[in-house]
Amino acid sequence: MNKKQGQLIAMALILTGLSFATIPAQAKTTYSVVKTTKLAKAPYHVTNTKKVTYTWNLAHTQKLQLISGNEDAATYANQTTWYVDKKVTLKHANKTTTYFHITNDNGNDSGYVYHQALAKGYAPKYSATLNDGKYYRLNAATTVTSYNKVLTLPKDTVVRAATNINDLKETFSISLNALSYKLKKQLGISKSMLSATIAAGPKLNWTKISTPAYMLPYTGTDKTEVWGNDLFPGSDESRTNTQRLRITTDGYLEFYNNASYQSMGTVYPIGTPTSRQILTSNVDGNTITVTYHQAIPGLTDTAITVAGKTEYQLTIEIQKQLTDKSGYALAHYVVGGKPFYSWASAFLLPDYDTPNPATALSETNFKKLDKEFFNTDTFYKTTKKVKIKAPFTGYEGGLSQLKTVTLPKGTVVAGNKPYRTKVNRKYVTVFDLRTNILSSRLLKVGYQTGLVAGTYSTEATSTSGFKQVKRPNYMPTYSYGDLYLGSNTAITNRSSQLATQSVQITADGYVEVHKNSAKANSATYYSKPVAAAKIQRVVIKNKTRQLFLNKRLSGLKTTKVKYQGKTQYQLNLTNQHKYRVVEPLGDSDDGPAYYNLYTLAGKTFYTPLGSING
């Protein structure tokens, strides 16, 4: 390209409002995936706990979680192990960088982190029993310890074990409870000895195997060492039940059928079983078939002939339905044509995560509520310039990073009532400041580094430089000023789906508009807004707050008006006085949550009001 052509292109760019500077800047912000390599899932930990380290999304446009850097994060990093399952090479500005994809203990996606920030192995202070129960066959007689008692498990015993990590030492917890009555009696294993410990290492001579075909499917979520799901006769719990069916890891079918009450609430059975060693086992769809040498009285097994000898066959059909028992569930089976059930986790219920719907609450009944736990902040105005520490997080929330925010004189803030506490050996009056509802102009120090405002207030701010004032008339009653697009359906689905538009009326008198991805984390609500305008005056007429702004607000309809010769933009916020209540899920300790509907710029929004302690 010659000089003249360059001048013509430059002129064209200027006329269209662009410049050469915008083009490379945009290119430099783009990250592209060069290569992705799947890795065997392995534990890693942060190498430098003092260095600020965030995980990122794959596009490298959002910081997700702080995993090291401040005092709390350093402690967290020393105690937290991440699991790397992928290596990704990203290209940016003609440079390539390697990132690890990590998950947490529960397998939840935690984003991508620069590979040199992590080292292989467990964190120094990591301590956990991993939810990783697996089956193993012992290749030699193996010594284990339970309650200081040394036991020797025979060669070829099939056991179930989970991994324990404590101060970089790896051990396994073997389920003794899941072994057969015969073996437990032989080794002197008591009912209280549910598990045994064995150290990991080259001396541990066992082979990991697939789940044996005779084992019943697990109906819980905690795959640590002692789980089990014994079967009980019938379709529902009975206080007079005296039967219990279990299949052990070392391959025995045990049927307890005596005068003793067999409770689903105990992990071990009562009495002595009729026990048969399983000869063969087969899984066909939802049916498990096992065979053994002798019939079991009380069970409907069938005699069959195998190689000229009589064996007995029992079928266990796994039913699809679960029964909700409010806090847990029952799984159902058909054993030899008769109904049986077992305990199951409520998490397995198909509608477990389905929230209770938002329902209408009359204004009369709303007025009768105890509003002790409603959103009733105390407001303050700065009497001088004040510097505070405000928390910021990544887009997935989690640990916060404190940054200094300067509040100009005359800034209105929200917090709780003042209280006395000891600071540097002296008692001072302090309050907790709700920084996440301050305007973006004050929180820009965090937004500029790609963070979002932390949802928790910074603690113990001295009241020096603050004067308590009345609640600003632009703040809706019992609200933190946060409004979310939608009504009943949006309230019902609030935990799983973000409002695509949310509005924050800030404590210091701004209206800010946010556009949100429905599937994003709720921390997104406190990210940098797409538009903001200052409230210059407020007029209240009946149920409507007329907010007069200093400029138009993208995304919300306003009306241009003149006031004392100056242009303002009127935004109407009308209280519908339509209250909604959401009851907690059956096993929750929370109380009901309350909401109110508003009309903002002609659209319906809801705002949280608070809850009643459960």
Side-chain angles (χ1 to χ4, degrees):
M1 180 175 67
N2 61 37
K3 183 176 180 181
K4 186 174 182 179
Q5 288 174 321
Q7 289 173 338
L8 290 173
I9 292 173
M11 181 61 70
L13 290 170
I14 292 170
L15 291 174
T16 55
L18 301 174
S19 70
F20 280 118
T22 63
I23 297 173
Q26 187 175 10
K28 286 181 180 178
T29 61
T30 301
Y31 282 74
S32 58
V33 177
V34 176
K35 184 180 180 181
T36 300
T37 305
K38 290 185 178 181
L39 303 174
K41 189 175 179 180
Y44 280 72
H45 65 279
V46 172
T47 55
N48 185 351
T49 61
K50 295 181 180 180
K51 183 178 180 180
V52 174
T53 303
Y54 279 90
T55 64
W56 291 81
N57 62 347
L58 182 58
H60 212 277
T61 57
Q62 291 181 346
K63 293 178 179 176
L64 300 182
Q65 296 181 43
L66 176 69
I67 62 173
S68 69
N70 61 26
E71 184 177 348
D72 289 339
T75 302
Y76 175 75
N78 275 318
Q79 297 174 347
T80 304
T81 292
W82 303 99
Y83 291 86
V84 172
D85 59 8
K86 234 180 334 188
K87 181 171 66 174
V88 177
T89 302
L90 298 181
K91 186 175 183 180
H92 171 63
N94 294 322
K95 293 183 180 179
T96 57
T97 309
T98 300
Y99 285 77
F100 284 144
H101 176 258
I102 61 174
T103 61
N104 61 15
D105 272 349
N106 297 320
N108 297 326
D109 188 349
S110 299
Y112 296 81
V113 63
Y114 179 52
H115 75 289
Q116 289 188 354
L118 300 180
K120 199 167 188 177
Y122 295 104
K125 299 297 181 182
Y126 179 67
S127 179
T129 297
L130 303 187
N131 191 24
D132 68 342
K134 300 286 192 305
Y135 290 88
Y136 301 84
R137 185 182 301 277
L138 304 181
N139 297 323
T142 302
T143 300
V144 297
T145 304
S146 179
Y147 290 93
N148 296 320
K149 183 175 181 177
V150 177
L151 307 167
T152 300
L153 301 178
K155 178 185 176 182
D156 292 326
T157 302
V158 174
V159 298
R160 187 169 58 216
T163 312
N164 295 319
I165 308 297
N166 191 9
D167 290 337
L168 299 180
K169 294 179 180 178
E170 186 177 64
T171 60
F172 290 94
S173 290
I174 294 176
S175 176
L176 300 180
N177 179 57
L179 295 173
S180 63
Y181 177 87
K182 178 183 178 181
L183 183 57
K184 286 189 284 189
K185 185 177 181 180
Q186 174 186 326
L187 298 179
I189 299 173
S190 67
K191 293 177 182 177
S192 62
M193 297 166 66
L194 299 177
S195 64
T197 302
I198 186 170
K203 292 184 179 180
L204 181 53
N205 188 3
W206 64 7
T207 301
K208 185 162 67 174
I209 62 174
S210 301
T211 301
Y214 51 75
M215 292 306 299
L216 294 168
Y218 181 51
T219 54
T221 56
D222 182 14
K223 294 184 178 179
T224 51
E225 72 276 9
V226 298
W227 89 80
N229 53 317
D230 296 354
L231 306 189
F232 301 86
S235 299
D236 204 349
E237 296 171 272
S238 168
R239 294 292 182 184
T240 59
N241 173 55
T242 59
Q243 295 181 340
R244 185 176 190 138
L245 178 66
R246 65 164 32 192
I247 297 177
T248 69
T249 59
D250 54 329
Y252 282 81
L253 184 74
E254 298 181 341
F255 187 54
Y256 293 79
N257 185 14
N258 48 50
S260 300
Y261 169 56
Q262 302 289 346
S263 171
M264 191 176 70
T266 59
V267 296
Y268 51 83
I270 305 298
T272 302
T274 300
S275 180
R276 301 287 185 264
Q277 186 172 14
I278 295 172
L279 302 175
T280 63
S281 57
N282 179 62
V283 177
D284 183 9
N286 291 326
T287 301
I288 299 173
T289 303
V290 295
T291 63
Y292 39 85
H293 279 311
Q294 290 179 283
I296 299 178
L299 289 180
T300 310
D301 44 23
T302 304
I304 60 173
T305 301
V306 178
K309 296 182 179 181
T310 301
E311 294 181 1
Y312 290 84
Q313 177 177 283
L314 184 69
T315 59
I316 303 174
E317 299 174 43
I318 303 162
Q319 307 298 295
K320 291 183 179 181
Q321 78 272 20
L322 294 172
T323 300
D324 188 351
K325 300 295 288 185
S326 186
Y328 64 99
L330 296 182
H332 297 279
Y333 308 81
V334 176
V335 179
K338 295 181 179 180
F340 277 70
Y341 67 87
S342 74
W343 176 91
S345 170
F347 286 108
L348 301 181
L349 291 166
D351 59 349
Y352 176 80
D353 289 330
T354 302
N356 287 327
T359 57
L361 179 71
S362 70
E363 189 169 4
T364 300
N365 288 334
F366 176 77
K367 289 179 179 179
K368 296 177 182 178
L369 294 175
D370 178 1
K371 300 180 177 62
E372 178 183 358
F373 296 100
F374 274 37
N375 305 337
T376 53
D377 275 347
T378 300
F379 287 82
Y380 305 84
K381 181 181 285 189
T382 55
T383 57
K384 60 181 181 181
K385 183 170 73 173
V386 178
K387 291 187 176 182
I388 62 168
K389 293 290 186 181
F392 291 87
T393 74
Y395 276 73
E396 293 290 340
L399 294 174
S400 61
Q401 185 179 357
L402 295 179
K403 291 185 176 291
T404 301
V405 170
T406 300
L407 304 178
K409 179 180 178 181
T411 302
V412 176
V413 299
N416 61 1
K417 293 181 179 179
Y419 59 94
R420 299 280 289 174
T421 190
K422 186 179 285 189
V423 177
N424 296 328
R425 299 182 181 181
K426 292 183 180 180
Y427 278 96
V428 294
T429 302
V430 299
F431 70 102
D432 298 339
L433 176 62
R434 194 176 303 281
T435 55
N436 65 316
I437 63 171
L438 290 173
S439 65
S440 56
R441 74 184 184 104
L442 298 177
L443 301 180
K444 62 183 179 181
V445 63
Y447 293 145
Q448 287 172 346
T449 56
L451 301 177
V452 304
T455 55
Y456 299 100
S457 61
T458 183
E459 296 181 357
T461 299
S462 172
T463 54
S464 174
F466 294 90
K467 176 184 178 182
Q468 191 168 328
V469 295
K470 292 181 179 180
R471 183 182 182 90
N473 57 3
Y474 46 76
M475 292 295 287
T477 307
Y478 298 125
S479 170
Y480 293 137
D482 50 333
L483 299 148
Y484 306 92
L485 184 65
S487 55
N488 285 22
T489 301
I491 295 171
T492 298
N493 297 326
R494 68 201 179 282
S495 297
S496 59
Q497 187 171 325
L498 298 195
T500 54
Q501 185 182 52
S502 59
V503 174
Q504 180 68 56
I505 300 175
T506 71
D508 55 323
Y510 283 76
V511 179
E512 300 189 335
V513 181
H514 296 260
K515 288 184 178 179
N516 314 300
S517 168
K519 295 301 181 182
N521 188 280
S522 59
T524 303
Y525 284 140
Y526 300 102
S527 60
K528 184 179 178 180
V530 296
K534 182 172 178 56
I535 301 171
Q536 295 186 316
R537 64 188 178 101
V538 180
V539 175
I540 298 178
K541 289 186 177 181
N542 298 321
K543 298 179 181 180
T544 300
R545 283 177 169 83
Q546 297 176 347
L547 309 178
F548 293 91
L549 313 178
N550 68 334
K551 61 181 180 180
R552 287 191 177 92
L553 202 54
S554 175
L556 293 178
K557 182 181 178 181
T558 58
T559 303
K560 184 177 179 180
V561 298
K562 287 289 185 179
Y563 179 72
Q564 295 182 351
K566 293 184 178 180
T567 300
Q568 295 181 340
Y569 296 87
Q570 181 179 333
L571 176 67
N572 289 335
L573 176 66
T574 301
N575 188 346
Q576 297 183 16
H577 290 284
K578 292 181 179 179
Y579 300 100
R580 300 292 183 262
V581 58
V582 177
E583 297 293 339
L585 293 173
D587 59 345
S588 173
D589 293 329
D590 297 331
Y594 296 89
Y595 304 84
N596 191 16
L597 302 185
Y598 282 82
T599 302
L600 178 65
K603 297 184 284 190
T604 296
F605 286 73
Y606 72 88
T607 186
L609 303 179
S611 62
I612 293 180
N613 201 16

PDB file of all heavy atoms in Angstrom, residues 298-314:
ATOM      1  N   GLY A 298     -38.145 -67.561  52.354  1.00  0.00           N
ATOM      2  CA  GLY A 298     -38.690 -66.207  52.443  1.00  0.00           C
ATOM      3  C   GLY A 298     -38.525 -65.409  51.170  1.00  0.00           C
ATOM      4  O   GLY A 298     -39.162 -64.371  50.996  1.00  0.00           O
ATOM      5  N   LEU A 299     -37.664 -65.867  50.258  1.00  0.00           N
ATOM      6  CA  LEU A 299     -37.495 -65.206  48.963  1.00  0.00           C
ATOM      7  C   LEU A 299     -38.062 -66.097  47.861  1.00  0.00           C
ATOM      8  O   LEU A 299     -38.020 -67.333  47.952  1.00  0.00           O
ATOM      9  CB  LEU A 299     -36.016 -64.921  48.675  1.00  0.00           C
ATOM     10  CG  LEU A 299     -35.339 -63.839  49.501  1.00  0.00           C
ATOM     11  CD1 LEU A 299     -33.885 -63.692  49.078  1.00  0.00           C
ATOM     12  CD2 LEU A 299     -36.064 -62.509  49.405  1.00  0.00           C
ATOM     13  N   THR A 300     -38.569 -65.486  46.826  1.00  0.00           N
ATOM     14  CA  THR A 300     -39.136 -66.238  45.701  1.00  0.00           C
ATOM     15  C   THR A 300     -38.053 -66.455  44.652  1.00  0.00           C
ATOM     16  O   THR A 300     -37.970 -65.752  43.646  1.00  0.00           O
ATOM     17  CB  THR A 300     -40.329 -65.479  45.091  1.00  0.00           C
ATOM     18  OG1 THR A 300     -41.224 -65.095  46.125  1.00  0.00           O
ATOM     19  CG2 THR A 300     -41.075 -66.348  44.094  1.00  0.00           C
ATOM     20  N   ASP A 301     -37.179 -67.429  44.924  1.00  0.00           N
ATOM     21  CA  ASP A 301     -36.155 -67.770  43.938  1.00  0.00           C
ATOM     22  C   ASP A 301     -36.616 -68.994  43.148  1.00  0.00           C
ATOM     23  O   ASP A 301     -37.557 -69.697  43.526  1.00  0.00           O
ATOM     24  CB  ASP A 301     -34.788 -67.985  44.572  1.00  0.00           C
ATOM     25  CG  ASP A 301     -34.838 -68.824  45.842  1.00  0.00           C
ATOM     26  OD1 ASP A 301     -35.820 -69.587  45.993  1.00  0.00           O
ATOM     27  OD2 ASP A 301     -33.923 -68.720  46.681  1.00  0.00           O
ATOM     28  N   THR A 302     -35.957 -69.246  42.050  1.00  0.00           N
ATOM     29  CA  THR A 302     -36.392 -70.294  41.123  1.00  0.00           C
ATOM     30  C   THR A 302     -35.285 -71.317  40.933  1.00  0.00           C
ATOM     31  O   THR A 302     -34.119 -70.956  40.697  1.00  0.00           O
ATOM     32  CB  THR A 302     -36.748 -69.673  39.750  1.00  0.00           C
ATOM     33  OG1 THR A 302     -37.738 -68.659  39.944  1.00  0.00           O
ATOM     34  CG2 THR A 302     -37.282 -70.732  38.807  1.00  0.00           C
ATOM     35  N   ALA A 303     -35.655 -72.608  41.031  1.00  0.00           N
ATOM     36  CA  ALA A 303     -34.672 -73.676  40.808  1.00  0.00           C
ATOM     37  C   ALA A 303     -34.376 -73.809  39.317  1.00  0.00           C
ATOM     38  O   ALA A 303     -35.284 -73.822  38.486  1.00  0.00           O
ATOM     39  CB  ALA A 303     -35.202 -74.995  41.357  1.00  0.00           C
ATOM     40  N   ILE A 304     -33.095 -73.892  38.988  1.00  0.00           N
ATOM     41  CA  ILE A 304     -32.676 -74.105  37.603  1.00  0.00           C
ATOM     42  C   ILE A 304     -31.601 -75.186  37.586  1.00  0.00           C
ATOM     43  O   ILE A 304     -30.992 -75.500  38.622  1.00  0.00           O
ATOM     44  CB  ILE A 304     -32.120 -72.814  36.969  1.00  0.00           C
ATOM     45  CG1 ILE A 304     -30.896 -72.292  37.754  1.00  0.00           C
ATOM     46  CG2 ILE A 304     -33.198 -71.729  36.872  1.00  0.00           C
ATOM     47  CD1 ILE A 304     -30.195 -71.119  37.098  1.00  0.00           C
ATOM     48  N   THR A 305     -31.371 -75.774  36.429  1.00  0.00           N
ATOM     49  CA  THR A 305     -30.338 -76.797  36.304  1.00  0.00           C
ATOM     50  C   THR A 305     -29.183 -76.257  35.481  1.00  0.00           C
ATOM     51  O   THR A 305     -29.360 -75.763  34.364  1.00  0.00           O
ATOM     52  CB  THR A 305     -30.898 -78.058  35.629  1.00  0.00           C
ATOM     53  OG1 THR A 305     -31.991 -78.558  36.408  1.00  0.00           O
ATOM     54  CG2 THR A 305     -29.827 -79.127  35.512  1.00  0.00           C
ATOM     55  N   VAL A 306     -27.997 -76.345  36.057  1.00  0.00           N
ATOM     56  CA  VAL A 306     -26.781 -75.871  35.392  1.00  0.00           C
ATOM     57  C   VAL A 306     -25.757 -77.002  35.435  1.00  0.00           C
ATOM     58  O   VAL A 306     -25.363 -77.453  36.520  1.00  0.00           O
ATOM     59  CB  VAL A 306     -26.217 -74.607  36.077  1.00  0.00           C
ATOM     60  CG1 VAL A 306     -24.928 -74.170  35.391  1.00  0.00           C
ATOM     61  CG2 VAL A 306     -27.235 -73.492  36.076  1.00  0.00           C
ATOM     62  N   ALA A 307     -25.367 -77.465  34.253  1.00  0.00           N
ATOM     63  CA  ALA A 307     -24.386 -78.560  34.141  1.00  0.00           C
ATOM     64  C   ALA A 307     -24.812 -79.758  34.975  1.00  0.00           C
ATOM     65  O   ALA A 307     -23.995 -80.391  35.672  1.00  0.00           O
ATOM     66  CB  ALA A 307     -23.001 -78.069  34.554  1.00  0.00           C
ATOM     67  N   GLY A 308     -26.100 -80.046  34.933  1.00  0.00           N
ATOM     68  CA  GLY A 308     -26.625 -81.215  35.625  1.00  0.00           C
ATOM     69  C   GLY A 308     -26.834 -81.018  37.109  1.00  0.00           C
ATOM     70  O   GLY A 308     -27.237 -81.962  37.811  1.00  0.00           O
ATOM     71  N   LYS A 309     -26.561 -79.827  37.627  1.00  0.00           N
ATOM     72  CA  LYS A 309     -26.724 -79.558  39.056  1.00  0.00           C
ATOM     73  C   LYS A 309     -27.795 -78.490  39.268  1.00  0.00           C
ATOM     74  O   LYS A 309     -27.981 -77.617  38.431  1.00  0.00           O
ATOM     75  CB  LYS A 309     -25.401 -79.106  39.675  1.00  0.00           C
ATOM     76  CG  LYS A 309     -24.313 -80.175  39.645  1.00  0.00           C
ATOM     77  CD  LYS A 309     -23.041 -79.676  40.315  1.00  0.00           C
ATOM     78  CE  LYS A 309     -21.966 -80.747  40.313  1.00  0.00           C
ATOM     79  NZ  LYS A 309     -20.714 -80.287  40.987  1.00  0.00           N
ATOM     80  N   THR A 310     -28.467 -78.573  40.417  1.00  0.00           N
ATOM     81  CA  THR A 310     -29.521 -77.620  40.736  1.00  0.00           C
ATOM     82  C   THR A 310     -28.927 -76.352  41.357  1.00  0.00           C
ATOM     83  O   THR A 310     -28.120 -76.430  42.301  1.00  0.00           O
ATOM     84  CB  THR A 310     -30.543 -78.223  41.709  1.00  0.00           C
ATOM     85  OG1 THR A 310     -31.123 -79.384  41.116  1.00  0.00           O
ATOM     86  CG2 THR A 310     -31.643 -77.216  42.040  1.00  0.00           C
ATOM     87  N   GLU A 311     -29.304 -75.209  40.790  1.00  0.00           N
ATOM     88  CA  GLU A 311     -28.964 -73.911  41.371  1.00  0.00           C
ATOM     89  C   GLU A 311     -30.256 -73.124  41.522  1.00  0.00           C
ATOM     90  O   GLU A 311     -31.304 -73.518  41.019  1.00  0.00           O
ATOM     91  CB  GLU A 311     -27.968 -73.149  40.478  1.00  0.00           C
ATOM     92  CG  GLU A 311     -26.613 -73.821  40.384  1.00  0.00           C
ATOM     93  CD  GLU A 311     -25.628 -73.039  39.512  1.00  0.00           C
ATOM     94  OE1 GLU A 311     -26.021 -71.957  38.990  1.00  0.00           O
ATOM     95  OE2 GLU A 311     -24.483 -73.499  39.343  1.00  0.00           O
ATOM     96  N   TYR A 312     -30.147 -72.005  42.233  1.00  0.00           N
ATOM     97  CA  TYR A 312     -31.326 -71.171  42.447  1.00  0.00           C
ATOM     98  C   TYR A 312     -31.051 -69.767  41.918  1.00  0.00           C
ATOM     99  O   TYR A 312     -29.960 -69.214  42.100  1.00  0.00           O
ATOM    100  CB  TYR A 312     -31.711 -71.159  43.924  1.00  0.00           C
ATOM    101  CG  TYR A 312     -32.247 -72.497  44.364  1.00  0.00           C
ATOM    102  CD1 TYR A 312     -31.369 -73.518  44.736  1.00  0.00           C
ATOM    103  CD2 TYR A 312     -33.609 -72.756  44.330  1.00  0.00           C
ATOM    104  CE1 TYR A 312     -31.849 -74.765  45.104  1.00  0.00           C
ATOM    105  CE2 TYR A 312     -34.100 -74.006  44.702  1.00  0.00           C
ATOM    106  CZ  TYR A 312     -33.212 -75.006  45.075  1.00  0.00           C
ATOM    107  OH  TYR A 312     -33.694 -76.247  45.422  1.00  0.00           O
ATOM    108  N   GLN A 313     -32.053 -69.245  41.254  1.00  0.00           N
ATOM    109  CA  GLN A 313     -31.922 -67.965  40.563  1.00  0.00           C
ATOM    110  C   GLN A 313     -32.888 -66.947  41.164  1.00  0.00           C
ATOM    111  O   GLN A 313     -34.050 -67.254  41.418  1.00  0.00           O
ATOM    112  CB  GLN A 313     -32.234 -68.174  39.081  1.00  0.00           C
ATOM    113  CG  GLN A 313     -32.203 -66.918  38.236  1.00  0.00           C
ATOM    114  CD  GLN A 313     -32.464 -67.246  36.779  1.00  0.00           C
ATOM    115  OE1 GLN A 313     -31.587 -67.745  36.067  1.00  0.00           O
ATOM    116  NE2 GLN A 313     -33.680 -66.996  36.332  1.00  0.00           N
ATOM    117  N   LEU A 314     -32.372 -65.726  41.371  1.00  0.00           N
ATOM    118  CA  LEU A 314     -33.205 -64.638  41.893  1.00  0.00           C
ATOM    119  C   LEU A 314     -33.057 -63.429  40.979  1.00  0.00           C
ATOM    120  O   LEU A 314     -31.934 -63.044  40.619  1.00  0.00           O
ATOM    121  CB  LEU A 314     -32.784 -64.258  43.315  1.00  0.00           C
ATOM    122  CG  LEU A 314     -33.637 -63.192  44.009  1.00  0.00           C
ATOM    123  CD1 LEU A 314     -35.031 -63.737  44.325  1.00  0.00           C
ATOM    124  CD2 LEU A 314     -32.958 -62.701  45.286  1.00  0.00           C
TER     125      LEU A 314
END
